[in-house]
Amino acid sequence: MAKPPLDTTPPNALDNVRVVLVNSAHPGNIGGAARALKNMGLSQLYLVAPREFPAANAVWRAAGAAELLDRAVVVDTLEEAVADCGLVVATSARERRIPWPLLTPRQCGERAVAEASSHPVALVFGREDRGLTNEELQACNFHVHIPANPEYSSLNLATAVQVLAYEVRMAALEADRGEPLSYADWDRPPAKASDMELYFAHLQQALGELGFIDPDNPRQTMTRLRRLFSRVRPDDMELGILRGMLTAIQNHIHRSGGKGRPD
Ligand SMILES: C[S@@+](CC[C@H](N)C(=O)[O-])C[C@H]1O[C@@H](n2cnc3c(N)ncnc32)[C@H](O)[C@@H]1O
């Protein structure tokens, strides 16, 4: 009897890493991404407002991975897709004006696997024609750029998914061999993406009341603060402390009947 192919899948290591496709235009790419995921032992596919889905072309391109399409989670916004995630990594084919903390694809795979044992991890991919918006990128902890030919660096969407899914699998196989990853365990889980969004809204409101920013026109200040906190990645308890501090500042402002900074 023929031996079954060697199963090198690390148990459970990959179930907590999801791939999020934002506003994909071509169902063939969704199918291609599903196939890439299944080839690499990943299974969680999230679709943010796909232009055409379900679609026969997606099933055709998915080939033997069509069940991932049946189980795909379809949501309206990126915020919903990553709400419960402790680590959110955006992929981008080009550099942005305000650079964000950057990971190589290899570091991304290692970090995703190291963190997936304690909380859901999201890898976010953009639209075929214009990638992710700056706002979407700024909702993520890290950016990953696949160092392709600088003269032609934009990969097909499903191909980009394949590259990162491969790195996640390689990191999972390394971890399974017991080779230590360079991330120390933390005593608390990192704050969830949805809690970070509530924090940023609270911060903007408090800084507005303080007179530090114009609430209607915060310019780059909020973006830079977002980047700062994305870099720090507070845990859930630290975020609670930060929100408590904001509330105390707001109470103080309200008690003194006005803005913090004299006009
Ligand atoms: C065809 S690309 C979008 C290209 C788009 N014109 C742009 O400038 O962002 C579709 C998606 O694939 C991923 N991608 C393509 N090339 C990439 C690269 N070199 N590094 C990281 N992600 C890449 C990103 O998620 C990107 O949003």
Side-chain angles (χ1 to χ4, degrees):
M1 203 166 73
K3 275 190 185 167
L6 186 65
D7 181 7
T8 53
T9 306
N12 304 327
L14 306 175
D15 294 342
N16 231 7
V17 179
R18 77 184 58 160
V19 160
V20 180
L21 305 184
V22 177
N23 283 166
S24 306
H26 302 295
N29 280 333
I30 298 176
R35 181 174 185 165
L37 291 194
K38 188 165 175 187
N39 282 148
M40 295 299 122
L42 292 156
S43 58
Q44 306 295 317
L45 181 61
Y46 280 58
L47 305 174
V48 177
R51 216 173 288 171
E52 198 189 325
F53 187 80
N57 201 21
V59 176
W60 184 71
R61 279 283 305 278
E67 95 262 9
L68 264 67
L69 299 178
D70 297 336
R71 284 192 279 116
V73 179
V74 182
V75 292
D76 291 329
T77 62
L78 175 58
E79 215 174 323
E80 289 170 77
V82 302
D84 58 333
C85 293
L87 172 67
V88 185
V89 182
T91 57
S92 178
R94 59 201 154 94
E95 290 190 3
R96 308 291 169 136
R97 198 158 61 90
I98 297 189
W100 220 246
L102 205 61
L103 297 174
T104 65
R106 191 131 310 161
Q107 290 167 329
C108 173
E110 289 175 359
R111 192 172 272 257
V113 169
E115 298 203 20
S117 55
S118 61
H119 47 261
V121 170
L123 307 179
V124 183
F125 295 81
R127 300 156 187 83
E128 288 91 337
D129 55 348
R130 57 197 171 91
L132 294 166
T133 65
N134 285 339
E135 270 167 19
E136 287 162 346
L137 285 163
Q138 288 161 11
C140 300
N141 302 111
F142 293 95
H143 293 174
V144 175
H145 175 72
I146 299 164
N149 176 0
E151 283 163 30
Y152 189 49
S153 68
S154 175
L155 279 71
N156 162 267
L157 172 59
T159 311
V161 170
Q162 181 73 79
V163 170
L164 285 201
Y166 170 79
E167 290 295 350
V168 171
R169 182 170 185 81
M170 288 305 102
L173 292 172
E174 286 293 298
D176 212 35
R177 274 186 220 116
E179 293 178 27
L181 291 166
S182 54
Y183 308 113
D185 282 339
W186 200 244
D187 60 337
R188 305 284 317 175
K192 286 191 291 182
S194 54
D195 291 334
M196 287 305 296
E197 288 306 321
L198 291 174
Y199 170 67
F200 289 128
H202 194 171
L203 182 63
Q204 182 164 346
Q205 187 192 32
L207 293 181
E209 289 174 15
L210 204 55
F212 185 73
I213 57 172
D214 175 355
D216 300 324
N217 185 18
R219 298 222 183 98
Q220 299 281 326
T221 307
M222 283 311 300
T223 304
R224 290 192 179 273
L225 286 171
R226 263 182 180 273
R227 185 172 70 169
L228 167 69
F229 285 104
S230 292
R231 214 161 59 229
V232 173
R233 298 188 63 211
D235 65 38
D236 60 346
M237 196 177 277
E238 290 163 343
L239 197 71
I241 294 169
L242 287 169
R243 291 207 61 181
M245 283 166 52
L246 291 179
T247 304
I249 291 168
Q250 285 176 304
N251 288 342
H252 182 75
I253 295 168
H254 298 165
R255 270 198 307 274
S256 56
K259 287 189 169 180
R261 185 198 276 176
D263 290 327

